[in-house]
Amino acid sequence: MKEKIIGRTATKTHPASDAVGYALYAFGGLGTEGLLMSMETMLYGQPFGAWTPLKSIAHWLLTCLIWGGFAIVLTKRLPAAPQNRIQKKNAIAAIALACVSILFTSLAWKGFKPGIEAAHLGAGRFAAQYLYYAFESWLVLLIVAHGQLAFEHRFGSRNVPFGGIFLAGTWGLVHILTQGAATGIYTVIQSLLFGSVYVLLNKNYKISYVAMALMFML
């Protein structure tokens, strides 16, 4: 594995197999919530829907802590964020796709998602839920970013949203298997939108995180 220094940041170039591994680690990080929830369900003797608000908040905060550990390690495995200026037409296209994503979510939820969740959850649980979404968005970004690197190493093309396709085949497929076709198809479409926005934003994972988090939350 070849190491190079860019400014003060040491980054490593790695082959496709390494990039796939990092993407799968990020996906596995998301999966740790299932294990945590199983342990909590056994401890409380209740399914998640029956938990008190305090138990739900504790679950989301602990999940954020676990996900944050995965995200910090895997973010360090990304190359330095590109410094090239994002073309105006690409920025406009990314904003358009973000708007499509938010509209699609509003149609799926039959209303503005944050408003619906705020009314349902209350202030404390709403804040914890959206912090949870922020960390989930971070791992989703890492699946896209490392997945994109893997396919670019393998196939060379830099303009195809491989990362979004990889996300759809992992995160999206799991939603189909665990939450049904409707939720799964929604997640697959969102995955492809995330991947497309990432490419349009010049694969700058810092800017892309903001865009994806807004798309995910709104």
Side-chain angles (χ1 to χ4, degrees), residues 49-185:
W51 292 359
T52 64
L54 186 59
K55 289 177 181 177
S56 298
I57 290 171
H59 167 78
W60 286 323
L61 294 179
L62 185 54
T63 301
C64 289
L65 183 63
I66 295 169
W67 284 354
F70 276 89
I72 289 170
V73 171
L74 293 170
T75 299
K76 291 180 179 179
R77 306 308 301 173
L78 288 172
Q83 300 301 311
N84 296 346
R85 186 174 180 178
I86 297 168
Q87 295 182 19
K88 184 177 179 179
K89 64 179 182 179
N90 287 359
I92 292 172
I95 292 170
L97 288 183
C99 290
V100 168
S101 170
I102 294 168
L103 177 61
F104 182 47
T105 297
S106 297
L107 291 173
W109 280 71
K110 298 180 181 179
F112 188 51
K113 177 182 174 181
I116 294 170
E117 293 204 298
H120 174 68
L121 295 171
R125 286 195 297 171
F126 177 80
Q129 173 83 86
Y130 273 70
L131 180 63
Y132 165 96
Y133 286 158
F135 279 87
E136 186 169 6
S137 299
W138 193 357
L139 284 177
V140 164
L141 165 72
L142 288 165
I143 296 172
V144 170
H146 285 296
Q148 185 72 31
L149 277 173
F151 282 87
E152 286 182 4
H153 278 306
R154 179 65 180 83
F155 299 109
S157 176
R158 299 181 57 83
N159 296 318
V160 178
F162 292 121
I165 296 169
F166 190 92
L167 182 65
T170 51
W171 189 58
L173 180 60
V174 163
H175 278 77
I176 291 175
L177 297 175
T178 60
Q179 298 187 31
T183 300
I185 292 171

